[in-house]
Amino acid sequence: MCGIAGFAGAVQGLPEDRLALQRMIGTLHHRGPDGSGTHLAPGVGLAHARLAIIDLATGQQPLHDGHETVWTVFNGEIFNYVELRDELEKQGYRFRTRSDTEVIVHLYHRDGDRFVEKLNGQFAIALWDARRRRLLLARDRAGIRPLYHATVRGRVWFASEVKALLAVLPECAAINPDGLAQAFTFWGPCDPDTLFSGIESLPPGHLMTVEADGTRTVEQYWDWTFPRVGDAPVFTSFDDAVHELRDLLDDAVRLQLRADVPVGAYLSGGLDSSGIVALVKQAGIAAVRTFSVTFEDAEFDEREQQQAMVRHLGTDHTTLHCTRRDIADAFPTLIRHTEAPVLRTAPVPLMLLSAKVRQSGYKVVLTGEGADEVFGGYDLFKEAKVRRFWARNADSQWRHLLLGRLYGYLKHSPVGTPGFARTFFGQGMEHLPRPIFAHAPRWTTSRRALAFLAPDVQARISAFDPFAFYEDRLPAAIKDWSPLARDQYVEAKSLMAAYLLSSQGDRVAMANSIEGRFPFLDHRLIEFANRLPPQWKLRGLTEKHILRKALAPLLPAEIASRTKQPYRAPDASSFFSDGRPADYVDELLSAERICDAGCFDAGKVRLLFEKCRTGRAVGFADNQAFVGILSTMLLHDGFIRDRIPQTTTLPATGTE
């Protein structure tokens, strides 16, 4: 893993250009503490911070093709680089390193922009074609690795993180109200939007080209797709599909174990991470190093299941015990890395766990993230199925009771009171035909936080209709897919891309220079699972049915059959001890600081503060609003408030 940064356009290669490159890449040292490099030439500047995983001796970047006609800086891993290298060598291409990076420049020579279609990996790539004076930016299919860009002062600037852009573009240090509204609804800004004005994110599965004349093109090269309802089945035998799935899982794990450093794994005690660790053992790694988090609150703790898997697989296991105080203390650090508001504290323990991984001498961990999106694992999918069944007889007095089979892990469950459950889950039934139907209750709950925005900010987003906004971004073909397929697509493009792979994924791992790998998000697995009949994924109210069957021979029966328990952590309660707030919380949420930031209504925030302080905030909406407001104030404090303009003067026009 690494950090990349750079710019293209009106670039002469002046000393101030090199200083800008150094300033940008200097902010990304946490992503690449093992070395750095730059390339500066007419038209382009490239910078790289390296976390050495593959080809420790000769894998430095920026890297060129041997003729200095094609240059690249690259963040991530190309897992099938060995096979691609063999193929290219047979066709006469000569390699100077043993790195996966060099495959990129030779593939570009051979296939042009379509080279990305050959890559199995997680990546953010910047490639400079010196002959054509052309910049290409590409991001992996699922959106595992981030890539941001801005067009300012006659240049396109890009970087792995927003902070690298703000280091040279202080004019972008302003909150984008649209990005804030999206974050408070969907748990993160929706690509290409971000929280910062003038800065965009390259969407997953997209590439962007910038030609010599400044023409910019953004193109999608991959997406999640599903069969139309009524299409002939792709699979005729469930058992055959189980065997094919197992073969794909074996190969995905085999590829993602490729590294010139030791590889560990996260172990939560659930089906997904337990399955990954078992597959690692099957791949021939006898002594697997595993890591997990435990909590003082039984509601969030899974140590019993974790220890059961440790005993079953015989792993060398390390546990991080996380307290509420730990979460409060580390929250400001988390937000410096997420660069976006968060509505839950769950990323904090994972950030602390990645520090434990680093202290243990590891740089790479495999994780079970992605299985729920790919194989239909979330309660949201089951809930939507029940609500659709209920809608066929809306006056039924018993159909909604099926919801009682969900959310047993919640202390304050929305199905705990039948009357409340009927009201809560009955909302949004008018959206039944729409592809966002399954997500309407969640988004409705989350966006209640928008009521805390300052009046002028509310006025600026008054036209924001989250359902229409999101549907405008959906493919036309979604109307022909099964209900589960629609639900999966929206989940993958909203919560997974905007939050789970960002604030709870890349950012918390790279905060401590750890590379997370996601075998379930191998694009071959996604494509395979998307072709499956919906009932093979969600059988009745049993989630991930086919995945359970594929992993059952490797796991104890109680783990293979265990109902999904989402990973969570204490939210607003983490910031108060016996009614006393953490010092920075009291200061940040004071009327003076709230008014200074200009984002929120100070009076409403104070009422919410008191509700949380006295332990009366037990619902999702209050907890999400509190964490969202606090994280936004930390972002304002760290990236915007009292920001001093940079002293280096860069070209203000397109002239050289």
Side-chain angles (χ1 to χ4, degrees):
M1 285 309 299
C2 307
I4 65 173
F7 41 76
V11 181
Q12 288 182 285
L14 301 174
E16 50 263 41
D17 294 323
R18 187 170 301 281
L19 182 60
L21 279 179
Q22 292 170 347
R23 181 179 294 128
M24 293 175 78
I25 207 63
T27 68
L28 302 178
H29 179 75
H30 56 285
R31 298 188 72 92
D34 297 333
S36 64
T38 61
H39 170 64
L40 184 61
V44 71
L46 304 174
H48 184 259
R50 188 184 188 207
L51 180 63
I53 303 293
I54 291 175
D55 188 12
L56 307 186
T58 63
Q60 293 83 5
Q61 300 180 41
L63 180 146
H64 60 79
D65 58 356
H67 305 287
E68 300 192 13
T69 58
V70 177
W71 289 79
T72 192
V73 286
F74 151 59
N75 165 31
E77 304 291 350
I78 308 302
F79 297 120
N80 64 335
Y81 79 99
V82 174
E83 292 78 10
L84 290 171
R85 179 191 177 104
D86 289 345
E87 180 184 315
L88 288 163
E89 285 182 327
K90 289 175 183 176
Q91 295 172 350
Y93 290 89
R94 295 185 178 182
F95 285 74
R96 297 172 295 115
T97 74
R98 303 300 301 177
S99 71
D100 56 340
T101 310
E102 195 170 2
V103 165
I104 294 171
V105 293
H106 293 314
L107 272 179
Y108 175 76
H109 269 297
R110 192 189 73 178
D111 299 331
D113 294 356
R114 299 195 65 177
F115 81 95
V116 291
E117 299 172 13
K118 304 294 195 306
L119 305 179
N120 181 325
Q122 48 191 52
F123 51 81
I125 298 169
L127 183 146
W128 173 250
D129 186 328
R131 289 176 176 171
R132 300 168 63 183
R133 293 176 68 93
R134 179 180 191 258
L135 176 70
L136 181 148
L137 302 177
R139 191 169 176 212
D140 67 70
R141 295 168 177 85
I144 297 170
R145 299 303 161 209
L147 187 55
Y148 297 94
H149 60 92
T151 302
V152 180
R153 307 180 204 161
R155 299 179 180 181
V156 173
W157 309 72
F158 65 87
S160 294
E161 297 184 10
V162 169
K163 59 178 62 69
L165 297 175
L166 296 181
V168 291
L169 303 176
E171 61 266 45
C172 292
I175 286 181
N176 170 20
D178 293 332
L180 184 61
Q182 293 167 30
F184 274 36
T185 303
F186 311 119
W187 290 35
C190 299
D191 297 312
D193 297 331
T194 73
L195 185 70
F196 295 91
S197 297
I199 295 178
E200 295 185 2
S201 169
L202 185 66
H206 282 67
L207 59 84
M208 184 175 89
T209 55
V210 184
E211 306 296 340
D213 63 0
T215 301
R216 193 179 85 168
T217 303
V218 178
E219 175 187 353
Q220 186 172 32
Y221 68 88
W222 187 90
D223 199 9
W224 295 57
T225 59
F226 295 83
R228 295 178 302 177
V229 173
D231 281 354
V234 177
F235 302 92
T236 57
S237 166
F238 178 77
D239 290 339
D240 288 346
V242 170
H243 290 306
E244 185 176 346
L245 172 55
R246 177 60 190 278
D247 288 343
L248 280 169
L249 287 168
D250 286 338
D251 198 54
V253 169
R254 177 186 67 84
L255 289 180
Q256 297 203 20
L257 284 171
R258 284 178 170 168
D260 294 330
V261 296
V263 178
Y266 285 155
L267 183 61
S268 71
L271 174 73
D272 309 332
S273 64
S274 298
I276 292 297
V277 176
L279 289 165
V280 171
K281 292 278 287 189
Q282 288 284 302
I285 308 298
V288 183
R289 188 69 184 271
T290 54
F291 303 85
S292 65
V293 175
T294 61
F295 294 96
E296 54 190 343
D297 300 79
E299 181 181 0
F300 310 110
D301 193 67
E302 297 182 83
R303 73 186 70 194
E304 181 179 339
Q305 292 79 15
Q306 293 164 5
Q307 289 303 315
M309 281 306 302
V310 168
R311 292 190 296 269
H312 178 73
L313 295 171
T315 69
D316 180 6
H317 190 67
T318 297
T319 297
L320 171 78
H321 184 66
C322 186
T323 67
R324 295 182 181 188
R325 174 65 181 270
D326 294 331
I327 291 173
D329 289 347
F331 195 69
T333 300
L334 170 79
I335 301 306
R336 284 199 297 273
H337 287 286
T338 65
E339 302 176 333
V342 298
L343 305 189
R344 308 301 289 268
T345 64
V348 175
L350 292 179
M351 182 182 71
L352 299 176
L353 184 61
S354 72
K356 181 71 74 173
V357 173
R358 187 73 183 186
Q359 293 164 10
S360 301
Y362 281 72
K363 294 182 179 181
V364 181
V365 287
L366 270 60
T367 161
E369 193 66 71
D372 292 306
E373 290 81 5
V374 175
F375 293 100
Y378 288 126
D379 276 331
L380 177 140
F381 301 135
K382 294 186 283 187
E383 173 196 310
K385 186 173 185 177
V386 172
R387 293 176 70 233
R388 289 184 174 105
F389 176 64
W390 180 9
R392 294 175 203 159
N393 184 357
D395 295 328
S396 170
Q397 297 301 305
W398 62 268
R399 288 189 174 192
H400 71 282
L401 298 178
L402 289 169
L403 294 163
R405 294 176 56 184
L406 311 179
Y407 308 108
Y409 51 83
L410 291 178
K411 182 177 181 181
H412 301 284
S413 172
V415 299
T417 304
F420 175 80
R422 185 180 178 87
T423 301
F424 180 81
F425 293 108
Q427 65 181 332
M429 286 296 192
E430 68 274 18
H431 302 301
L432 184 64
R434 304 176 70 173
I436 49 80
F437 169 74
H439 296 76
R442 296 296 184 282
W443 294 350
T444 299
T445 296
S446 298
R447 73 189 303 260
R448 285 170 60 186
L450 298 179
F452 293 92
L453 294 177
D456 60 325
V457 180
Q458 288 196 23
R460 292 177 66 181
I461 63 165
S462 60
F464 176 60
D465 175 348
F467 302 152
F469 169 86
Y470 213 87
E471 285 181 330
D472 285 345
R473 299 183 173 213
L474 297 176
I478 197 171
K479 68 181 186 303
D480 299 320
W481 298 345
S482 71
L484 178 60
R486 298 178 196 173
D487 301 345
Q488 286 184 264
Y489 186 91
V490 175
E491 185 73 4
K493 294 293 185 171
S494 57
L495 187 71
M496 187 180 82
Y499 169 73
L500 290 175
L501 293 179
S502 178
S503 295
Q504 196 169 297
D506 173 89
R507 300 314 183 84
V508 295
M510 292 309 297
N512 293 295
S513 309
I514 295 297
E515 173 179 296
R517 295 183 176 182
F518 307 83
F520 286 117
L521 293 178
D522 183 307
H523 71 278
R524 299 170 302 165
L525 268 170
I526 297 174
E527 291 166 357
F528 167 85
N530 289 356
R531 295 193 299 269
L532 293 170
Q535 63 270 23
W536 289 3
K537 289 181 278 191
L538 184 56
R539 185 185 185 192
L541 293 182
T542 299
E543 75 277 7
K544 295 182 289 196
H545 174 59
I546 192 170
L547 182 62
R548 293 178 186 277
K549 293 296 184 183
L551 295 176
L554 305 179
L555 302 174
E558 62 270 21
I559 297 296
S561 62
R562 186 185 176 208
T563 300
K564 169 72 179 180
Q565 177 172 330
Y567 162 72
R568 299 176 304 118
D571 289 315
S573 62
S574 297
F575 301 97
F576 300 90
S577 177
D578 296 326
R580 295 190 302 273
D583 290 342
Y584 73 89
V585 174
D586 200 22
E587 180 182 355
L588 275 177
L589 300 187
S590 67
E592 180 182 358
R593 294 293 290 274
I594 292 290
C595 293
D596 177 60
C599 295
F600 302 106
D601 184 301
K604 292 181 179 178
V605 170
R606 178 48 54 172
L607 290 174
L608 178 63
F609 177 93
E610 286 300 316
K611 191 173 184 179
C612 294
R613 186 184 67 80
T614 55
R616 293 179 288 117
V618 296
F620 289 134
D622 286 340
N623 274 271
Q624 290 175 6
F626 182 85
V627 177
I629 292 166
L630 180 60
S631 59
T632 303
M633 289 300 296
L634 284 165
L635 287 164
H636 183 271
D637 199 56
F639 292 100
I640 298 172
R641 181 175 182 255
D642 299 329
R643 187 170 182 83
I644 301 174
Q646 303 297 328
T647 56
T648 298
T649 301
L650 297 174
T653 69
T655 59
E656 295 190 356

